[in-house]
Amino acid sequence: MSDVSSSELRVLMARVPSVDKVMASAEFAPLIGEYGRTQVLNALRDALDAWRISAQSGDAAANPALSALDTPQLHAAVAAALLARNASRLRSVFNLTGTVLHTNLGRALLPDESVRAVIGALTQPANLEFDLATGTRGDRDDLIDDLICELTGAEAATVVNNNAAAVLLTLSALAAKKEVVVSRGELVEIGGAFRIPDIMSRAGAKLREVGTTNRTHLQDYEQAINARTALLMKVHASNYAISGFTKEVGIDEIAPLAHARGLALAVDLGSGTLVDLAEWGLPREPTVRETVVAGADVVTFSGDKLLGGPQAGLIVGRRDLIAKIKKHPLKRALRVGKLTLAALEPVLQLYRAPEKLTERLTTLRLLTRPAEDIHGAAQRVLPALQQAIGPRYTVAAEPMVSQIGSGALPVDVLPSYGLVVRMADGKRGGRHLLALEKQLREMARPVLGRIADDALRLDLRCLEAADEAQLIAQLSAQPQSN
Ligand SMILES: *Cc1c(COP(=O)(O)O)cnc(C)c1O
């Protein structure tokens, strides 16, 4: 590459229209109307700088684009830059990973009732902290705590930003500078940043580990209790299982021990379902109500896992303990906003009609979706996918198994269907499958599957009707690959 001589460069520069002239041009008026003067001017200067740099290093004669920089060309560059810059970074994707409650993809999808409530809360003033009966200041928890108590059997409830916050706040309010007794089998890490021992020390509480990894007995808890003990705590193992020679002490055994010593029992349920999932053939999870009935004094659980609501942490339990939790200064820092409350209330209301849940609650509808139904979707999407990715690959509709996700055990209980892409020549896919995975991930609405056993697998469980139509349209609009 030859450097441009200074005289050539001067000639080139002289051909570039002035910034003022470009900004005043008819082509630029709509851009300024849409993005405002400041942004357009900055983008224009960036485009001119980029042009100058390439003009200085490149051979202008060999690059007609450089010698013909004009207003239409600048317009195209600036419009593209502004469009890319202003595109939302948070984008809708197709979750074809087979994991329904996918933490990296935003967990639970919410029902229409929540969507409508959120729009209302976004665009109109609401009685967030205003008591309409008395005309005086209210408490945002009052909007929803009766409903949570009704569904869980607890005396009192409060809501914070997520379950990690719920655990942090509970420990801070009830156990600062004191000891909390936890089984060594329950010192879990949930997705990297949430580890029980770390949360404990952040809350200013001292972890008192008891038992062993595989076996903990009631007497282990009993022997650990001393004058500094504030709480006994149980943590749902969520994402791992200990099997074989094991022993865990149930809430119904620990609670009487705690109460006989004048202590409280806190339970971190993690997913915390409000209904018995076994009714629909899903793995049994302890419900919040059972946990309260078994004697837990405080129970914490997530809003956006099996509950199927927005990101939130729910804390339920004894009235005096919830009052103490609500008075702690951290509560103010961890509280939820109106959008969360607006989205959560309709979800909780759906639980009043449990027989309708698999129809109305998106999470449960997806978890219980029949495999035949998913098979139908696979057959309809198959031709569009095959057409879009070309004859180098073969697409087949095959049975597969979905996961619940978000701390529910990875057990094979969700028979599903999906599209499996392999190399047409029968060879191992390697980099070709990686390239295909990337191609799908880079579509206007990214398509996310997973590569396993030399195939790209797209589980269609989470592809409901409207999304199915959109996916087929997107694939059909692709230029045919070959
Ligand atoms: C998921 C989970 C958490 C964290 O909940 P978030 O709502 O993600 O903050 C805490 N404890 C247990 C046992 C969990 O499963």
Side-chain angles (χ1 to χ4, degrees), residues 251-472:
I251 293 162
D252 54 340
E253 285 182 86
I254 305 182
L257 170 65
H259 300 157
R261 302 296 188 90
L263 300 170
L265 170 61
V267 177
D268 176 18
L269 267 189
S271 223
T273 174
L274 296 180
V275 286
D276 182 1
L277 299 172
E279 270 190 43
W280 296 287
L282 297 169
R284 240 201 77 76
E285 280 282 324
T287 67
V288 179
R289 182 182 288 276
E290 284 163 8
T291 308
V292 169
V293 168
D297 299 287
V298 191
V299 185
T300 50
F301 54 103
S302 286
D304 57 353
K305 293 186 182 172
L306 285 171
L307 184 73
Q311 179 189 306
L314 286 75
I315 313 176
V316 306
R318 247 166 58 193
R319 196 180 312 281
D320 59 324
L321 299 179
I322 299 295
K324 217 166 156 185
I325 286 167
K326 289 180 63 160
K327 264 196 241 120
H328 192 277
L330 264 183
K331 171 68 182 9
R332 175 64 176 78
L334 302 175
R335 74 181 186 187
V336 291
K338 60 182 179 176
L339 303 185
T340 301
L341 290 170
L344 183 56
E345 187 180 21
V347 167
L348 293 172
Q349 277 167 349
L350 292 182
Y351 281 91
R352 284 177 164 156
E355 59 284 346
K356 299 273 187 195
L357 274 177
T358 56
E359 187 189 315
R360 296 178 180 168
L361 187 68
T362 315
T363 298
L364 210 54
R365 188 172 65 239
L366 293 175
L367 289 174
T368 58
R369 189 172 176 198
E372 316 86 74
D373 195 25
I374 309 171
H375 187 195
Q379 284 171 323
R380 290 186 296 273
V381 177
L382 192 154
L385 181 64
Q386 181 70 73
Q387 186 277 142
I389 65 180
R392 165 180 271 183
Y393 304 98
T394 57
V395 185
E398 293 181 13
M400 49 184 71
V401 182
S402 320
Q403 308 293 339
I404 296 172
S406 274
L409 280 180
V411 279
D412 296 349
V413 288
L414 300 181
S416 187
Y417 242 94
L419 296 174
V420 181
V421 184
R422 298 187 179 84
M423 303 310 296
D425 58 11
K427 295 207 176 115
R428 297 178 56 122
R431 64 194 171 84
H432 297 299
L433 284 178
L434 288 173
L436 178 62
E437 185 274 336
K438 185 166 183 280
Q439 181 194 336
L440 293 176
R441 179 159 43 81
E442 288 177 348
M443 295 185 103
R445 180 170 169 189
V447 179
L448 307 180
R450 67 198 166 85
I451 291 178
D453 302 327
D454 272 319
L456 176 68
R457 292 163 192 277
L458 306 176
D459 185 323
L460 301 192
R461 172 176 298 277
C462 296
L463 192 74
E464 294 198 286
D467 277 353
E468 181 190 315
Q470 202 185 43
L471 177 61
I472 291 174

Side-chain angles (χ1 to χ4, degrees), residues 107 162-164 190 194 235-236 238 268 270-271 302 304-305 312:
R107 292 192 185 159
N162 54 21
N163 189 36
I190 315 280
F194 181 88
V235 182
H236 191 293
S238 288
D268 176 18
S271 223
S302 286
D304 57 353
K305 293 186 182 172

Side-chain angles (χ1 to χ4, degrees), residues 209-225:
E209 303 174 22
V210 296
T212 60
T213 306
N214 56 329
R215 287 174 72 84
T216 302
H217 306 274
L218 187 61
Q219 74 201 42
D220 294 325
Y221 288 92
E222 201 164 4
Q223 285 163 3
I225 295 173

